[in-house]
Each structure stands twice: as C-alpha cells, then as structure tokens.
Amino acid sequence: MSRLAGRRVLLTGARGTFGRQLVADLTAAGARVVGIDLTPTDTPVPVVGADLTDPATVAPAVATAVERLGGLDLLINNAGVGGPAPAEQPPDGVVARQIEVNLLAAWRTTAAALPALLAARGRVIFVASRMAVLPLPLAAAYGVSKRALVAYADALRLEVGTHVGVSVVYPSMVASPIHDSTVRAGLSLQGVSRPEPVAGVSAAILRAAAARRAPRDVATTARGRLELALARHAPGLADRLVRRTVAARVAAGELDGAPLAAAMVHRHRHRS
C-alpha cells in the first residue's frame, strides 16, 4: 500500500499545470485532496475558491479545506506566477504580484494551516524553482521571490521542524502558461533551461511526501541535483556559466527583439 494512502492533503494552485498532475497522482496514490485556487470546482477533487494574495480570504479558505478533510497531514504550496523583470529597472506591478503569489501567499497559507499540521505531525512542501539558487538575468522577480520562499522554508524548519517536516522541491523549466508572458516579451528560455516533464516534478513531490523523513531539498532530475550543488558550492563558476550562455544568446541575436533586454544587449556589444 502507498505511504500516501489516506493522507489528508491541501494543495494550492490546484488547477494549474503542476496542480492538475499532482491531483491525479495523489488521488491515484490513495490520498484525499482538497485544493485552493482562484476558481472553485468540485471535480476531480474539491477546490476552494480563494485569492491567496488577499490576507482576509486565506485563513477562511484553509479552514474550509481542513474541515472538509477532517484534519491535515500535508500542505503543498504549489501556487506560483512568473514573468520578465529586469533587475536594473524599478519594481512594478509584475514584480509585486510575483512576490505576493510566490512568497507571501505561501507564507499566509502555511501560517493558517500550521495548527492542523502540528496536531497531525504533518509536513509542508514548498514548490520553489531552480532559479532560487541559479538565477537568470531579466527574471529578477521570479528568482528573488523563489529564493525568498526557500529562506522562509529554512526559517520555518528551525521553528517547527521538531513537529512538522519541511521540504523544498526545485523544478527546472516545465512547459506551462507560467512562461507565456516571458515568451511574449521575446525572452524564451529555450536554450537556457532544459525542459522537464510535469510528471517528473509531480513524482519528486510525491517522493518527498512519502519519505520516512522529510527531505530538506529535492531536485527533480539528476541535472537539477548537479545544478543545485554547483550553485551552492561553486557560485562563482555558476555565474560564469550563466554569463557565457547569455553572451552566446546575445551574439546569436536571440534577444534582439526583446525590449526588456535592450540595455543588456547594448552593453554586451559595446564593452570598450
């Protein structure tokens, strides 16, 4: 029998790309799942409608989900948004929304769910990103928000880790609508990140959830484990590799049609 059978799971972002896969895989493993997303539904699992960027709606939504489940064994903070944001430009609404959704929404949801998780000696899993440790240019808001999410998970682990397991999962690039705004801005990640299947990300999350001890950091692929190790133990080398990749893209003209990259492209081509 699966170690997830009968586990009571609350999943944010349940109607997104990762969320739909997770719902299918968790249900197949015998878990009981209730989701939270902007739009409610009753199929294939109950999803409570809530805007997690609105502090007033988070606690009631979590309470409703926990009541439906009859307790809580696992919280998966999966909700997230992306979008281009050059670090050299002042933060705008795109930046604020990514910090709200990727960091503060997860913080609020976790805080609201902690009493139930503590009672069950449960677990929290945060879906971060490889960009939390290996950032890319022109996507500062996403990298900053996901790195901050990891910092929050680390602090939470120190506070409640004696009673609640805390894990962070680091996917790389998965084809999903989260990249649509980046592509529209002429900043496709093709050739920068190696795509991985959504099923592999879901499988890594389920492995973390089912492990006897909650793992601290979970890469979703062998390449991801190498990238995490490189970013943490040889950050200068990681920076050089990213700069070399960016320079190659500039030389090939791949960023010529991207207004947000214009200043960076100009600098690369006029170094003298």
Side-chain angles (χ1 to χ4, degrees):
M1 179 182 292
S2 166
R3 288 178 57 84
L4 295 174
R7 297 277 287 276
R8 300 161 297 181
V9 182
L10 173 56
L11 171 68
T12 68
R15 303 192 69 181
T17 301
F18 289 175
R20 292 192 301 272
Q21 183 74 48
L22 283 164
V23 164
D25 292 347
L26 286 164
T27 303
R32 296 169 52 209
V33 183
V34 171
I36 295 180
D37 212 317
L38 286 171
T39 307
T41 185
D42 290 322
T43 57
V45 299
V47 175
V48 178
D51 179 357
L52 297 180
T53 67
D54 179 358
T57 70
V58 176
V62 170
T64 297
V66 171
E67 182 179 5
R68 290 189 182 186
L69 289 166
L72 186 61
D73 300 303
L74 173 63
L75 167 63
I76 303 177
N77 282 300
N78 165 68
V81 294
E88 66 181 290
Q89 295 185 9
D92 57 10
V94 171
V95 174
R97 177 159 176 76
Q98 289 182 61
I99 291 174
E100 276 285 342
V101 175
N102 298 343
L103 170 63
L104 298 181
W107 191 330
R108 294 185 188 106
T109 303
T110 302
L114 267 179
L117 289 169
L118 287 165
R121 295 290 182 110
R123 294 188 183 183
V124 184
I125 295 177
F126 296 92
V127 181
S129 167
R130 182 205 59 173
M131 287 178 63
V133 294
L134 193 65
L136 297 175
L138 308 174
Y142 192 73
V144 166
S145 62
K146 290 296 188 177
R147 183 171 291 192
L149 180 67
V150 174
Y152 170 69
D154 290 344
L156 182 71
R157 189 181 299 108
L158 293 174
E159 294 181 18
V160 305
T162 53
H163 290 68
V164 175
V166 180
S167 300
V168 180
V169 178
Y170 298 83
S172 183
M173 187 184 83
V174 174
S176 77
I178 199 171
H179 302 296
D180 288 354
S181 61
T182 301
V183 173
R184 287 194 298 270
L187 300 172
S188 170
L189 294 177
Q190 294 295 329
V192 178
S193 293
R194 182 175 296 180
E196 61 180 292
V198 65
V201 176
S202 179
I205 293 170
L206 264 64
R207 285 196 301 273
R212 290 189 179 276
R213 287 177 175 269
R216 189 179 194 279
D217 299 296
V218 179
T220 54
T221 64
R223 179 186 176 93
R225 285 192 293 274
L226 176 62
E227 290 173 340
L228 286 178
L230 179 67
R232 284 186 168 156
H233 301 297
L237 175 59
D239 288 348
R240 289 194 295 274
L241 291 173
V242 172
R243 285 197 297 266
R244 186 175 68 181
T245 300
V246 171
R249 295 194 75 194
V250 170
E254 294 177 7
L255 300 177
D256 287 355
L260 290 177
M264 188 179 72
V265 169
H266 177 81
R267 287 191 292 273
H268 272 263
R269 290 178 176 167
H270 299 84
R271 294 189 177 186
S272 57

